Amino acid sequence: MYLKKKTLITICILLYVYWIFHDAFHSPKDHSLTYFNERRETLKNTEIILQSQPKGSKVDKRYYDNPQPYEYDFKNLINEPVLCSQYEKVFLLYTVRTIYSHLDRRKVLRKIFQDIPYDSFSKDIVVKHVFLFANTNNYTTESLIREESRIYRDIIQDDFPESYGNVYLKTLMAWKWSVEFCANVEYVMVLNDELFVDQIKLLPFLHYDLSQADYDNKFAFCYCFGGRELMHNKLKKFRKLGEKMLYQGENYPIYCHGVGYIAHINVINKLYLASLKNKMLMPDDVWNGVLSEKLGIKQNCQNHRVQASKYFGSILKSYWKNPFLVAVCDHDNRPEAAVPCLQGIYKSVSKLRNNSNVHNRLQ
């Protein structure tokens, strides 16, 4: 009797140990990592075809005849390598170009990014975000950035100088990081930190876009500009960068304004791969138009879903009349207005949505 009891106990212990090890080596994270690696390998092995210059193109001929290759090889200083890969799938990734002094903007944006709709399509989706920094070469500021990273775990930093002239590098950084560390994402939004995003409306909009046949050969959301003569050569902030840093020619192509655009990860990957064969220039958003034309990617203009104004009150009034997806809170280079605008719209829109009398109207 004693031996039977001892044998039974031994069997139970062995079964328990087996269960522990089986769970450890066959967890959901294991499956998610497999999917992540498969997606990343697919993206890595994508072959792009750059088209010849189409009839009626606004792009200067030199960018077709003599493209300059480029390699983005800056050292990574701060990273969150498992931000996406810890999940099987991520639906939307925000890659936000920011600078350290915009801490208050990031605080508001972190709240906005946490708002997930309760509809049947969105309740279980994963939305992630990262804030993109360059190197300030200031010991105190760098210490503060590292501390913010330790608290929020949402900062990516690469080792190139933090400056307006290097905004195009942050765009490349956003594309590259998305492909390498968030390969399991569906959509990527590249945006500046002055952009208010109505995520409650955006996610259903993207669910619909994903159902379209050409979702991976167009931008899902583009605030279209361009198609006219050059303007940046008249602005001091561009002129001081020097001609070698600037887009040349007589006219702009149609492009997605850099304040914010969204595309499927397959499109982001194509843009990144094309940028390695066509060195990017400033203004960086004009360059997404050049690359899009060479790749045959459509812009999908959604200007009617964007609100831009110098005044917060005007933006909110427009929202009441025609709810938009995004609002520019630094219109006409008024950075001091960005935080009050972001905070004001976020609080007001939240109140409107919680009001049962208007809730259905805003859906």
Side-chain angles (χ1 to χ4, degrees):
M1 183 69 180
Y2 173 76
L3 288 175
K4 287 184 178 180
K5 187 174 182 181
K6 187 175 181 181
T7 302
L8 185 60
I9 292 173
T10 303
I11 292 172
C12 290
I13 293 173
L14 289 173
L15 287 172
Y16 178 74
V17 171
Y18 169 80
W19 177 78
I20 291 293
F21 276 90
H22 183 274
D23 186 63
F25 289 102
H26 298 83
S27 64
K29 287 186 178 181
D30 221 26
H31 296 299
S32 67
L33 195 58
T34 299
Y35 177 76
F36 174 86
N37 288 333
E38 288 174 352
R39 282 286 295 269
R40 184 166 64 175
E41 196 65 21
T42 299
L43 294 173
K44 182 180 178 181
N45 293 326
T46 297
E47 293 186 8
I48 58 171
I49 299 174
L50 299 178
Q51 302 179 2
S52 56
Q53 189 164 15
K55 186 178 180 180
S57 168
K58 300 285 186 179
V59 176
D60 192 271
K61 196 171 185 293
R62 77 189 77 181
Y63 300 119
Y64 276 92
D65 295 344
N66 188 31
Q68 301 297 311
Y70 183 76
E71 182 179 359
Y72 183 96
D73 58 357
F74 295 99
K75 179 183 177 183
N76 181 252
L77 301 176
I78 300 176
N79 197 12
E80 293 296 332
V82 298
L83 183 79
C84 294
S85 62
Q86 62 183 306
Y87 302 95
E88 182 176 5
K89 294 182 180 180
V90 177
F91 185 71
L92 174 62
L93 170 70
Y94 294 100
T95 58
V96 189
R97 297 178 297 195
T98 188
I99 56 177
Y100 180 71
S101 59
H102 292 176
L103 176 61
D104 287 343
R105 299 187 188 190
R106 293 192 293 280
K107 286 182 178 179
V108 181
L109 289 173
R110 285 183 176 111
K111 292 180 181 178
I112 292 172
F113 298 153
Q114 290 175 357
D115 282 348
I116 306 295
Y118 293 103
D119 63 83
S120 58
F121 294 106
S122 305
K123 63 179 181 179
D124 295 322
I125 67 169
V126 177
V127 175
K128 306 303 290 183
H129 69 271
V130 289
F131 292 101
L132 308 177
F133 288 80
N135 192 345
T136 65
N137 291 307
N138 179 288
Y139 178 80
T140 301
T141 304
E142 289 301 299
S143 298
L144 292 170
I145 292 173
R146 287 193 294 271
E147 177 61 16
E148 185 178 343
S149 171
R150 185 190 66 79
I151 294 171
Y152 295 104
R153 313 300 301 184
D154 61 1
I155 286 176
I156 310 298
Q157 185 183 36
D158 279 2
D159 193 14
F160 56 84
E162 186 76 83
S163 70
Y164 180 75
N166 283 336
V167 169
Y168 77 100
L169 290 178
K170 282 193 177 178
T171 300
L172 279 175
M173 180 181 172
W175 295 350
K176 184 175 188 287
W177 193 90
S178 301
V179 170
E180 293 185 353
F181 294 100
C182 204
N184 56 337
V185 72
E186 291 291 352
Y187 286 98
V188 178
M189 184 172 197
V190 180
L191 67 153
N192 294 342
D193 61 11
E194 71 266 21
L195 195 71
F196 169 81
V197 181
D198 186 350
Q199 188 166 253
I200 304 297
K201 293 192 71 65
L202 177 60
L203 294 183
F205 173 84
L206 292 178
H207 279 299
Y208 173 77
D209 184 81
L210 191 59
S211 69
Q212 304 304 296
D214 60 345
Y215 69 89
D216 61 350
N217 200 42
K218 66 177 178 61
F219 284 88
F221 180 93
C222 180
Y223 185 25
C224 291
F225 273 67
R228 58 185 182 182
E229 67 179 36
L230 264 60
M231 296 291 293
H232 64 265
N233 51 4
K234 300 177 183 179
L235 301 176
K236 183 178 179 181
K237 67 179 181 179
F238 288 112
R239 289 202 307 271
K240 67 181 183 181
L241 297 178
E243 284 191 5
K244 290 184 178 180
M245 287 287 293
L246 299 176
Y247 173 81
Q248 303 294 317
E250 297 182 359
N251 298 287
Y252 294 126
I254 300 297
Y255 61 87
C256 296
H257 196 296
V259 71
Y261 55 83
I262 308 171
H264 191 270
I265 186 62
N266 291 351
V267 174
I268 295 295
N269 184 48
K270 291 175 187 177
L271 291 170
Y272 173 63
L273 293 175
S275 73
L276 302 181
K277 299 182 179 183
N278 302 264
K279 182 181 178 180
M280 288 184 69
L281 301 169
M282 290 287 285
D284 71 294
D285 43 9
V286 171
W287 207 246
N288 75 54
V290 174
L291 297 179
S292 297
E293 182 177 290
K294 298 184 81 167
L295 289 163
I297 292 172
K298 301 174 184 177
Q299 268 79 24
N300 189 23
C301 302
Q302 298 286 328
N303 292 31
H304 63 290
R305 300 182 187 275
V306 181
Q307 181 60 227
S309 174
K310 295 181 180 180
Y311 307 105
F312 155 63
S314 175
I315 292 178
L316 192 61
K317 187 177 180 180
S318 297
Y319 184 87
W320 175 254
K321 291 181 178 179
N322 184 27
F324 47 76
L325 288 181
V326 301
V328 183
C329 281
D330 187 8
H331 189 63
D332 284 355
N333 296 313
R334 295 179 68 246
E336 72 281 357
V339 173
C341 174
L342 286 169
Q343 290 176 333
I345 297 178
Y346 175 66
K347 291 179 180 178
S348 299
V349 168
S350 296
K351 288 181 179 178
L352 285 173
R353 291 193 176 283
N354 290 330
N355 185 332
S356 59
N357 293 324
V358 298
H359 177 78
N360 293 330
R361 186 174 179 273
L362 299 178
Q363 297 306 303

